[in-house]
Amino acid sequence: MNDKNILPSDLARALLVGRVWRPAPVDGPSVVVVRHGEVFDITAVTPTVSDLLDRPDRVALAQSAAGESLGDVRALMAATLQGDDGPRLLAPCDLQPVKAAGVTFAISLLERMIEEEAGGDASRADDIRVRMQALIGSDLSRLRPGSPEAAKLKAGMVERGQWSQYLEVGIGPDAEIFSKTPAMASVGFGAQIGVLPESQWNNPEPEIVLAVDSRGDVVGATLGNDVNLRDIEGRSALLLTKAKDNNGSCAIGPFIRLFDDSFNMDSVRQADVSLRIEGADGFQLDGVSHMREISRDPLDLVRQACGAHHQYPDGFMLFLGTMFSPSQDRMGPGTGFTHKLGDRVVIASERIGALVNEVRLSTEIAPWTFGVRALYANLAKRGL
């Protein structure tokens, strides 16, 4: 990773908004925008990112709102990675609940079925993978969820006694939409991400994350890591929350890129999302997800998440799912991939930038203590 991909390739045109923790006397989070590589604190104009994204003039505001300069964005990102005591980047969302769509790529569908049959035992994954591929006997990536062809495959699987709850949401009419983490719980660029001590089979999930306003309109996009504990979810789908929602298990950033004339939903549909894992043991893994291979259109996922059936008055963030479930053996044949403490995870997309985090235990990284009440108390103290 270098300056060429840590920020959007077209930075001069990109409208980036986010959050920065500012030390005393502010001692709290500030809403920031990036203009031509310079960071400006505009909290006095819009005290939360949720407020900013809900404004019809958000693009003009990001372009021209008066604010205090916090200096060069690259310097801020470097200081965040180094853990300096000064200002540092936070997750770019605040009051928005974080939702996630699961099993939206054919490859991730297969891996979820493997987890389910393996019961969380990584040593069984390779044999099950081969058998599953032969059993399904079709290219799942060509199936449109809810289509007659998908229904025919489902009927055949049911007849053979091989139906899976993951196939139901992978090719059925209803998407899996779950709550990833509460508002204010996400960590940002440069933060430590957490896995549970008892997990022996886990992985990152690199994804694009949509920023959606209170009306259900998509207003921007960023990157996310839906940290996943495969052994725990594989034991039972009812353990999804235990597998998905832990301290430091949701990373989002570095910034939300607002939709405008140069970046929109079609940009998201054509985006590639790369992943690099660098271990302290010298291990390295690279992969890439192509959004054009997603099985459900992002706007369909948004409609399934909100509407007459469910509203989000503060807006919400929506993970779109990943096609990347690493199976590369790390600790011997048949062991598959799992994180080791100290792994550096870099998720990048050319027109959004890069999200960088380090893997630690959820029980040992800094606890989550700054929630909605703390935010409001801090803003009130600052006269905002």
Side-chain angles (χ1 to χ4, degrees):
M1 185 190 68
N2 52 49
D3 282 354
K4 292 183 178 179
N5 59 15
I6 199 170
L7 288 160
S9 58
D10 56 343
L11 178 61
R13 302 176 65 191
L15 282 177
L16 305 180
V17 301
R19 293 166 66 240
V20 169
W21 181 273
R22 299 188 64 184
V26 172
D27 200 27
S30 289
V31 178
V32 299
V33 297
V34 180
R35 300 179 189 137
H36 303 290
E38 187 174 0
V39 182
F40 292 89
D41 181 343
I42 62 167
T43 315
V45 179
T46 176
T48 70
V49 173
S50 175
D51 290 321
L52 171 61
L53 298 187
D54 235 41
R55 292 181 59 148
D57 63 342
R58 58 186 167 270
V59 169
L61 191 69
Q63 291 171 331
S64 60
E68 178 185 354
S69 175
L70 300 183
D72 181 76
V73 65
R74 292 180 177 85
L76 173 63
M77 297 175 85
T80 300
L81 289 175
Q82 293 164 9
D84 292 353
D85 292 334
R88 68 179 189 277
L89 280 175
L90 300 171
C93 51
D94 42 40
L95 301 182
Q96 303 96 324
V98 180
K99 309 291 287 188
V103 200
T104 56
F105 288 84
I107 292 176
S108 64
L109 167 56
L110 178 62
E111 292 300 321
R112 288 292 180 267
M113 293 170 65
I114 291 167
E115 289 170 18
E116 180 181 34
E117 183 161 334
D121 182 356
S123 66
R124 298 178 56 201
D126 282 346
D127 289 342
I128 296 172
R129 186 175 292 108
V130 172
R131 182 162 49 79
M132 282 282 187
Q133 289 171 333
L135 178 66
I136 294 172
S138 63
D139 183 358
L140 292 175
S141 67
R142 296 179 180 274
L143 280 179
R144 183 171 57 84
S147 67
E149 294 79 11
K152 182 178 180 180
L153 174 61
K154 173 181 177 178
M157 296 288 285
V158 170
E159 186 176 341
R160 293 195 296 266
Q162 293 291 332
W163 184 244
S164 162
Q165 59 197 338
Y166 294 108
L167 270 172
E168 179 64 49
V169 296
I171 67 174
D174 299 316
E176 178 191 19
I177 306 288
F178 62 92
S179 293
K180 170 62 180 177
T181 204
M184 301 289 293
S186 302
V187 299
F189 175 93
Q192 293 178 333
I193 51 176
V195 297
L196 294 183
E198 58 265 39
S199 176
Q200 301 301 311
W201 188 20
N202 48 68
N203 64 274
E205 292 194 354
E207 306 185 24
I208 283 184
V209 184
L210 299 181
V212 187
D213 69 14
S214 65
R215 295 170 291 276
D217 295 328
V218 183
V219 298
T222 184
L223 298 171
N225 186 349
D226 176 15
V227 181
N228 181 47
L229 310 184
R230 301 188 71 180
D231 46 2
I232 291 176
E233 185 180 354
R235 282 162 44 203
S236 170
L238 298 182
L239 294 173
L240 179 66
T241 296
K242 184 177 179 66
K244 290 286 192 179
D245 186 8
N246 300 292
N247 190 27
S249 67
C250 180
I252 300 177
F255 299 95
I256 295 170
R257 180 164 182 173
L258 293 182
F259 283 180
D260 60 7
D261 292 340
S262 67
F263 184 78
N264 54 32
M265 183 55 69
D266 284 336
S267 307
V268 170
R269 293 185 178 105
Q270 295 302 314
D272 295 331
V273 180
S274 66
L275 169 70
R276 167 165 285 199
I277 301 170
E278 301 168 347
D281 56 356
F283 176 86
Q284 185 170 302
L285 184 151
D286 291 282
V288 63
S289 290
H290 308 289
M291 284 300 299
R292 62 181 178 274
E293 296 181 18
I294 197 169
S295 60
R296 300 179 191 267
D297 186 75
L299 290 183
D300 175 51
L301 296 172
V302 172
R303 285 190 292 268
Q304 294 210 33
C306 71
H309 63 290
H310 200 318
Q311 297 78 45
Y312 294 89
D314 298 309
F316 65 101
M317 307 296 289
L318 179 63
F319 279 73
L320 293 180
T322 184
M323 65 179 289
F324 193 75
S325 294
S327 57
Q328 178 179 333
D329 289 338
R330 184 170 191 178
M331 291 178 282
T335 60
F337 171 83
T338 196
H339 273 307
K340 286 188 177 183
L341 301 185
D343 280 353
R344 185 172 186 258
V345 181
V346 181
I347 296 168
S349 189
E350 181 182 5
R351 303 191 66 194
I352 299 175
L355 174 63
V356 184
N357 301 101
E358 180 187 354
V359 177
R360 293 292 177 185
L361 294 178
S362 291
T363 52
E364 295 181 0
I365 64 177
W368 174 37
T369 59
F370 197 94
V372 174
R373 287 191 304 162
L375 172 64
Y376 283 178
N378 178 264
L379 292 173
K381 182 180 178 181
R382 294 156 62 182
L384 300 173

